[in-house]
Amino acid sequence: MNLEKRQAFFELLRENNPHPETELEYSSPFELLIAVLLSAQATDVSVNKGTRKLFKIANTPQALLDLGEDGVKPFIQHIGLFNSKGRHIQETCRLLIEKHGGEVPQNREELEALPGVGRKTANVILNTAFGQPTMAVDTHIFRVSNRTGLAPGKDVAKVEQQLLKRVPKEFLMDAHHWLILHGRYTCKARNPDCEQCIVEPLCGFKQKTGKGKVRGNI
């Protein structure tokens, strides 16, 4: 996909949703960190269901640490891998208190040193909580990037590198949210809704559904 089409691609996404936001519910960088830790292999809906109740009782590192692993479990036991996530939350809270004065660090190295925090989670925190132009590539963004021809790559790291190079700078802050929402609701894995897709004319997907005509790679 050339620069002109990439520009048009994001202009359409911005026109459709000028101020995209994560669907995870949070009111502080710490709440976002906990929500993202819980969201691995889980839906945002299931995470929000638990954190709405949990954060009313404990929404600081010390409060969650005081609640303990057994105290957290009832709020997250409907979420996949809740046992390991509960342990990670407790260990993360302890490290935040011991090493960061209870605050969420604003750099990648310190974020990735926290239990359960990988590059994708760190990118979400840096972008969403702290306004840094990073690109967190999940399964939705990986699919959209490859399927459309926006930023093809064989693995997550390559797609992230491609997106950082190919997304026009004016869109980089919000690109993560636009792409994840597009992949979640329109450019779906099994049944992409090409007929209703606002960027379909710019897309290089060869097996379009509905009335979308097949085009070559962009």
Side-chain angles (χ1 to χ4, degrees):
M1 188 181 291
N2 62 34
L3 177 58
E4 182 180 355
K5 288 182 177 178
R6 296 198 304 271
Q7 181 76 23
F9 183 96
F10 283 102
E11 284 178 353
L12 287 169
L13 293 178
R14 180 172 63 186
E15 181 180 341
N16 183 63
N17 185 3
H19 305 290
E21 297 178 348
T22 177
E23 293 184 320
L24 291 171
E25 297 174 2
Y26 72 100
S27 61
S28 69
F30 175 71
E31 287 188 1
L32 179 62
L33 174 60
I34 298 303
V36 177
L37 283 173
L38 291 171
S39 70
Q41 299 182 44
T43 65
D44 289 356
V45 172
S46 67
V47 172
N48 291 336
K49 180 181 177 181
T51 56
R52 282 187 199 122
K53 297 177 180 179
L54 175 62
F55 291 157
K56 287 181 180 179
I57 296 173
N59 69 342
T60 67
Q62 189 63 61
L64 275 177
L65 200 60
D66 291 343
L67 194 58
E69 192 173 330
D70 290 337
V72 171
K73 281 184 181 180
F75 297 96
I76 65 172
Q77 60 188 0
H78 64 285
I79 299 172
L81 306 174
F82 72 92
N83 282 314
S84 61
K85 290 176 181 179
R87 287 193 298 272
H88 287 157
I89 286 173
Q90 290 296 297
E91 294 166 3
T92 289
C93 288
R94 179 179 56 79
L95 288 175
L96 288 176
I97 293 168
E98 292 179 356
K99 295 188 176 182
H100 305 287
E103 300 294 325
V104 177
Q106 299 187 33
N107 66 78
R108 181 184 305 283
E109 183 178 351
E110 291 179 331
L111 280 170
E112 291 187 15
L114 298 172
V117 177
R119 185 176 182 88
K120 182 181 76 174
T121 297
N123 279 336
V124 172
I125 302 302
L126 291 172
N127 177 262
T128 304
F130 299 124
Q132 298 184 27
T134 60
M135 185 62 63
V137 179
D138 70 346
T139 56
H140 296 300
I141 294 178
F142 184 82
R143 178 175 65 256
V144 171
S145 298
N146 276 286
R147 181 182 278 170
T148 62
L150 173 66
K154 293 182 178 180
D155 55 48
V156 169
K158 182 62 176 178
V159 169
E160 180 183 335
Q161 293 171 6
Q162 288 284 81
L163 285 169
L164 290 172
K165 291 178 182 178
R166 295 167 70 86
V167 175
K169 288 185 178 180
E170 67 178 291
F171 304 111
L172 197 53
M173 264 302 303
D174 292 319
H176 163 75
H177 295 307
W178 281 319
L179 293 175
I180 195 172
L181 292 171
H182 190 66
R184 183 174 291 166
Y185 296 112
T186 303
C187 195
K188 296 170 286 188
R190 293 188 178 181
N191 297 298
D193 194 0
C194 301
E195 191 171 355
Q196 301 299 320
C197 178
I198 60 173
V199 294
E200 183 273 329
L202 303 166
C203 172
F205 185 39
K206 292 184 177 180
Q207 297 172 303
K208 292 180 181 178
T209 60
K211 295 180 181 178
K213 296 180 180 179
V214 174
R215 292 177 171 83
N217 285 328
I218 297 175

